[in-house]
Amino acid sequence: MTERGWGRRFEDQIRIGDRVLVTLLDAGEYIATLPKKEHAAPEWQAAMEALILVAEGGGPTMFARIGVMRALNRHQ
């Protein structure tokens, strides 16, 4: 059975400046605190959707990590 839940840890942590996102919940809270205009960007919406799917439906945390990393690097 696939592990589920917001407390699941990323295999590789996500570093954003001094902040470190260790769990799916950390990433979700980070996205929720973004300014409204940035939060509404399609890349962040896709990242949040990936987080929800992995947290509630199971599957590799790498999928959610990829979504967050794509959103973080969307201007490059």
Side-chain angles (χ1 to χ4, degrees):
M1 181 175 214
T2 304
E3 186 181 355
R4 297 178 188 190
W6 286 95
R8 292 181 60 197
R9 300 170 73 89
F10 291 111
E11 290 180 29
D12 295 314
Q13 301 172 351
I14 300 171
R15 294 193 180 278
I16 306 169
D18 293 337
R19 189 165 182 178
V20 180
L21 307 179
V22 178
T23 66
L24 298 175
L25 181 60
D26 293 340
E29 289 175 342
Y30 175 80
I31 295 170
T33 62
L34 292 171
K36 188 174 183 177
K37 185 176 180 181
E38 190 171 357
H39 182 273
E43 295 88 354
W44 283 115
Q45 293 298 303
M48 195 67 213
E49 187 173 333
L51 285 169
I52 292 167
L53 287 171
V54 172
E56 295 180 359
T61 56
M62 183 58 70
F63 292 154
R65 186 179 192 285
I66 289 168
V68 172
M69 294 305 295
R70 288 188 68 190
L72 285 170
N73 295 304
R74 70 191 177 286
H75 296 299
Q76 297 178 8

